[in-house]
Amino acid sequence: MFKLKAFKRALRRPQRWSQRLKLTQLNLRQRIAGTMMALVTAAGLLLAAWAMLANRRLEQNVTYDLLSEELTHYEQRLHQDAGTEPLQSAQLRIYRSRDIAELPREIRRYAPGTYGPVRINKRYIRVLVRDTEFGRLYITYDTTTQLVEQRIASGILTVGVITTIFLTAWLAYGLSGRLVNPVKQLASRLSDIDPGERQLRIAAEFAGNELEPIARSVDTFLERLDGFVEREQSFTSTASHELRTPLAVIQGAVELLTEQHTASPMPTQRQTQKALARIQRAVREMADFTDALLVLSREESRNDISSGMPNSVCDLTMLLPRIIDDQQAMTRNCRISLQAHVATPIAVTAPDSMVAMVVSNLIRNAVQHCDASGVQCELKAQQFIVRNAGSIAAEQESQLFQRGHTTRPGGHGMGLYLARRICDRYGWRIALNNIERNVGGNATPCVEASLEFGLENS
């Protein structure tokens, strides 16, 4: 039992230490200031220690040279006169072994060599001992004054180092604040960004700043995020808009079947099959449209769309009559006619659902603005044209393909926007222009919508 409790305590110990470390974590400004102060402190201490050691070593060398030179000079004098008295001054004294009684007892025991400082009667003495032909010679030098000056210099140096450390700490904390301030500004700017705000860029606010590369990276992320949000909003908006057409077809076909069953107990097989065919086409169109929107919701890549969708080659000559039939079934007040100036099938490198959405939106837009003359569709080798009576106001020309723009009450403004997006993805060209058409010898204004698929898609 005791071992088990000890083992549990050992397991808890790292967790306690980790909690303490979390509590003692420093912020960026404190880490920068602490690092600068530590570096300056270490450099100051090393410089002070080196200065003190160098000064002491220099003082020792100078003192040794002085004592050695004086002792050598005294030996030369002894060679000239063996009775020459040793040098005696306030700081410098020479003793011979015969004068052992006068030699301070603290230095009598010293063998030849250099010693010191030796404390004698509250004075500090340096000693040089040398054996010569005249016996052992002792020379002493009073360094008390030099030691006091050294201690004063050491004190001044210590105060200077401490003052430097405090000044460095103050400057480091202030400088670290200036260094961290751009980071705080960037963090504050990012925290103030409204998630619903689009087309926002912040690199210009940090131009010439060391954080400009980070701000540019944030702008790149925001640009991609805008693209994702745009695709998501487009998906949800266009889904609710585009699914109305096949649902209306299904509803109309179901209502027709209901009327037939009500009017006649035995409806004809041809009528029933026609209504069921419309329902099947509408269901297929809803499925294709959903798949296409899922692909459009990704980042732009023509290869992804072509490889990710089935039936990547569309026969426009076979698809177009079905689209016109579906659109005609939804409106009985506007006649839709088709003129085909082609002798061979037109193959477009794109899924049927993509081509159908663009063509259906152009025809539907014309039907919504048509009059008694109806809507005229024309198919050429690489171009599909839709014409209807009316004209486009000059102030609306630049807004036709913008999301949410509509010219009729109750409209959603998503059809032409979706068509433009698909054309941009596949490199098709789409345009709406005002033209004049000769009807009964009179020039009648009308709107012409043209869709060019390009030679590379043939």
Side-chain angles (χ1 to χ4, degrees):
M1 180 63 70
F2 176 77
K3 292 182 178 180
L4 181 60
K5 291 182 178 179
F7 179 71
K8 290 181 178 179
R9 285 196 299 269
L11 290 178
R12 295 193 196 100
R13 195 170 300 155
Q15 297 178 356
R16 294 173 182 174
W17 278 108
S18 63
Q19 293 175 355
R20 293 177 183 177
L21 288 175
K22 290 181 179 179
L23 292 176
T24 58
Q25 285 181 348
L26 302 177
N27 57 37
L28 180 60
R29 181 179 185 181
Q30 293 172 339
R31 290 198 296 270
I32 294 177
T35 302
M36 295 176 63
M37 188 175 65
L39 291 175
V40 173
T41 301
L45 292 177
L46 289 175
L47 182 61
W50 177 83
M52 294 176 65
L53 291 176
N55 180 67
R56 181 172 297 180
R57 187 65 179 267
L58 179 62
E59 185 267 337
Q60 289 177 355
N61 292 336
V62 171
T63 302
Y64 174 79
D65 292 341
L66 174 64
L67 297 179
S68 178
E69 184 178 354
E70 288 293 337
L71 202 57
T72 301
H73 181 66
Y74 179 65
E75 288 183 44
Q76 293 174 355
R77 290 170 58 196
L78 287 176
H79 280 96
Q80 297 175 0
D81 182 4
T84 302
E85 293 294 329
L87 177 65
Q88 301 290 332
S89 65
Q91 287 186 305
L92 198 63
R93 288 177 176 270
I94 298 178
Y95 301 93
R96 299 177 62 176
S97 56
R98 68 181 185 181
D99 304 325
I100 196 68
E102 299 178 4
L103 188 66
R105 64 177 182 276
E106 288 85 357
I107 60 177
R108 292 177 186 175
R109 54 187 176 85
Y110 288 151
T114 305
Y115 305 93
V118 181
R119 185 174 181 179
I120 302 175
N121 297 327
K122 299 181 181 182
R123 308 291 294 180
Y124 292 92
I125 308 297
R126 286 194 177 275
V127 182
L128 173 62
V129 181
R130 181 188 296 175
D131 286 335
T132 65
E133 58 182 302
F134 303 102
R136 181 166 293 180
L137 298 179
Y138 300 84
I139 183 170
T140 64
Y141 180 69
D142 190 346
T143 60
T144 303
T145 303
Q146 288 83 349
L147 289 178
V148 172
E149 293 176 352
Q150 287 181 2
R151 290 176 180 176
I152 294 175
S154 299
I156 295 174
L157 184 61
T158 302
V159 172
V161 170
I162 295 174
T163 303
T164 302
I165 292 174
F166 277 104
L167 289 176
T168 302
W170 178 68
L171 292 174
Y173 194 76
L175 182 60
S176 63
R178 297 185 61 182
L179 293 175
V180 176
N181 189 50
V183 179
K184 290 183 177 180
Q185 291 179 354
L186 178 61
S188 177
R189 185 67 182 89
L190 294 177
S191 63
D192 292 340
I193 293 179
D194 185 3
E197 188 176 1
R198 301 269 67 85
Q199 304 301 325
L200 176 66
R201 302 295 180 264
I202 64 173
E205 301 177 19
F206 296 89
N209 193 292
E210 58 272 10
L211 296 180
E212 184 178 0
I214 300 178
R216 292 186 180 276
S217 300
V218 172
D219 280 354
T220 302
F221 170 76
L222 290 176
E223 184 176 357
R224 294 189 61 192
L225 181 61
D226 288 343
F228 283 120
V229 174
E230 179 75 14
R231 286 187 291 273
E232 181 182 359
Q233 292 177 349
S234 175
F235 174 80
T236 56
S237 299
T238 54
S240 63
H241 172 263
E242 292 297 327
L243 291 179
R244 293 175 184 271
T245 300
L247 287 175
V249 174
I250 294 175
Q251 183 179 2
V254 171
E255 290 176 354
L256 180 60
L257 287 176
T258 303
E259 292 175 0
Q260 292 173 352
H261 279 281
T262 303
S264 175
M266 295 293 293
T268 63
Q269 184 178 5
R270 182 178 180 182
Q271 292 175 334
T272 303
Q273 289 179 348
K274 186 176 181 180
L276 291 176
R278 288 181 179 178
I279 295 175
Q280 290 175 350
R281 286 198 301 267
V283 172
R284 182 174 61 251
E285 184 178 351
M286 291 174 64
D288 292 343
F289 174 74
T290 302
D291 293 338
L293 285 183
L294 288 174
V295 175
L296 282 177
S297 64
R298 305 173 189 167
E299 287 191 270
E300 294 187 4
S301 175
R302 295 179 62 179
N303 294 331
D304 291 345
I305 296 178
S306 299
S307 62
M309 295 292 296
N311 303 325
S312 58
V313 177
C314 171
D315 186 354
L316 185 58
T317 55
M318 296 292 294
L319 180 64
L320 190 55
R322 191 195 78 186
I323 297 174
I324 293 178
D325 185 31
D326 290 341
Q327 294 296 328
Q328 187 66 73
M330 294 185 59
T331 176
R332 298 178 183 179
N333 300 324
C334 183
R335 183 176 59 86
I336 305 175
S337 61
L338 172 63
Q339 294 181 356
H341 305 283
V342 292
T344 58
I346 298 178
V348 180
T349 307
D352 289 358
S353 57
M354 291 293 189
V355 179
M357 274 191 287
V358 177
V359 174
S360 297
N361 277 308
L362 291 181
I363 297 176
R364 187 184 307 120
N365 183 73
V367 168
Q368 291 171 353
H369 298 85
C370 78
D371 58 4
S373 62
V375 173
Q376 294 77 38
C377 300
E378 185 177 354
L379 179 61
K380 299 181 180 180
Q382 294 297 326
Q383 187 179 32
F384 175 70
I385 300 174
V386 181
R387 300 185 183 93
N388 65 279
S391 62
I392 303 173
E395 63 273 9
Q396 294 180 349
E397 292 181 356
S398 61
Q399 304 176 357
L400 291 175
F401 295 100
Q402 293 182 3
R403 188 176 68 182
H405 175 73
T406 180
T407 57
R408 66 183 183 89
H412 295 82
M414 296 303 303
L416 293 178
Y417 167 75
L418 177 61
R420 180 60 176 269
R421 277 200 59 193
I422 296 175
C423 290
D424 290 342
R425 296 290 287 270
Y426 286 96
W428 304 337
R429 288 187 293 179
I430 185 173
L432 269 75
N433 300 298
N434 289 320
I435 64 171
E436 289 187 354
R437 184 175 54 177
N438 189 357
V439 179
N442 298 322
T444 304
C446 67
V447 178
E448 180 182 272
S450 62
L451 175 62
E452 298 182 13
F453 296 100
L455 294 175
E456 68 277 9
N457 294 322
S458 58

